[in-house]
Amino acid sequence: NAGVTQTPKFRILKIGQSMTLQCTQDMNHNYMYWYRQDPGMGLKLIYYSVGAGITDKGEVPNGYNVSRSTTEDFPLRLELAAPSQTSVYFCASSYSEGTQYFGPGTRLTVL
Amino acid sequence: KNEVEQSPQNLTAQEGEFITINCSYSVGISALHWLQQHPGGGIVSLFMLSSGKKKHGRLIATINIQEKHSSLHITASHPRDSAVYICAVSGETSGSRLTFGEGTQLTVNP
């Protein structure tokens, strides 16, 4: 099992550009999450999903959108990238409220 | 004040030392998680606990629900234990959503 995979690993965007961060899990987990980690700060929840077709906002959802059309995939869309979105993004999954398994992260820089 | 506070922020130890990292939280919780973030950035879940104590190898996690406090202990520390250790809680009403501490940077010197 690959676990949770994320692409790309690194990306540089210009202000105003858009992109999608991909996240896939092969553990048949129903819950999936997107977090961002800023230097010296704790992880913060952006969006989460408790199953295909269901998504909900976390602590810092502004500037992001998600969709969950399948159990496996949970892409995160950035529209009109801003420097404040420079961060490391982690996707995670869990079976209901159990242990969360994290992907390797995507390092995003917006210039 | 953050809902989850960790101490110390940074910790340097010599190989073989017994290490304790502390986590205090201010909300009612359904579970507390300890995570390890490797120098390369990957995050691994170490423990999820809601009462008592759990042990895995040289790692021990304890929680005192009444005092809203948890500790992570590492016995016989080794340089490969060098990492950031993160405490996170899921609130009583927040389901699986986690609130994270800022992490403790541990460096173990040979």
Side-chain angles (χ1 to χ4, degrees):
Chain A
N1 286 354
V4 180
T5 57
Q6 291 182 238
T7 56
K9 286 187 169 52
F10 303 94
R11 183 74 186 267
I12 298 174
L13 283 182
K14 293 183 180 177
I15 293 171
Q17 287 185 319
S18 301
M19 77 164 293
T20 298
L21 281 66
Q22 301 290 347
C23 175
T24 300
Q25 54 92 8
D26 64 359
M27 297 174 281
N28 203 32
H29 285 165
N30 50 348
Y31 287 26
M32 295 187 75
Y33 316 82
W34 274 106
Y35 298 100
R36 59 177 287 171
Q37 185 179 40
D38 299 325
M41 308 283 286
L43 289 128
K44 294 193 186 300
L45 181 65
I46 305 171
Y47 270 96
Y48 67 104
S49 168
V50 299
I54 306 168
T55 62
D56 210 344
K57 295 178 181 178
E59 193 180 349
V60 290
N62 290 345
Y64 307 95
N65 278 300
V66 293
S67 59
R68 183 102 182 267
S69 56
T70 67
T71 299
E72 295 78 18
D73 300 306
F74 191 40
L76 178 71
R77 177 86 178 156
L78 279 71
E79 306 281 2
L80 298 174
S84 60
Q85 293 177 305
T86 294
S87 191
V88 181
Y89 291 84
F90 289 96
C91 179
S93 71
S94 66
Y95 180 69
S96 294
E97 296 177 12
T99 297
Q100 294 189 21
Y101 295 82
F102 287 77
T106 294
R107 188 173 297 271
L108 176 67
T109 302
V110 182
L111 300 174
Chain B
K1 192 176 188 299
N2 291 338
E3 289 183 353
V4 181
E5 299 268 357
Q6 288 185 235
S7 63
Q9 281 188 306
N10 295 282
L11 181 56
T12 300
Q14 289 300 119
E15 184 172 356
E17 286 184 358
F18 181 84
I19 287 162
T20 297
I21 298 170
N22 296 298
C23 176
S24 296
Y25 52 92
S26 57
V27 297
I29 67 168
S30 57
L32 183 141
H33 302 245
W34 281 104
L35 309 165
Q36 180 191 54
Q37 186 165 25
H38 300 294
I43 299 173
V44 174
S45 180
L46 299 174
F47 295 104
M48 176 178 165
L49 65 166
S50 54
S51 65
K53 176 177 167 177
K54 286 191 175 180
K55 184 175 190 289
H56 185 255
R58 295 179 295 106
L59 301 178
I60 303 166
T62 64
I63 188 168
N64 184 318
I65 296 294
Q66 287 73 30
E67 295 186 4
K68 291 188 166 61
H69 181 269
S70 175
S71 293
L72 176 68
H73 305 287
I74 305 175
T75 62
S77 59
H78 190 276
R80 66 175 174 266
D81 296 326
S82 298
V84 176
Y85 292 84
I86 302 169
C87 174
V89 300
S90 47
E92 285 174 329
T93 58
S94 60
S96 61
R97 288 170 287 161
L98 297 180
T99 300
F100 295 82
E102 293 183 3
T104 294
Q105 173 70 61
L106 171 65
T107 303
V108 182
N109 294 318

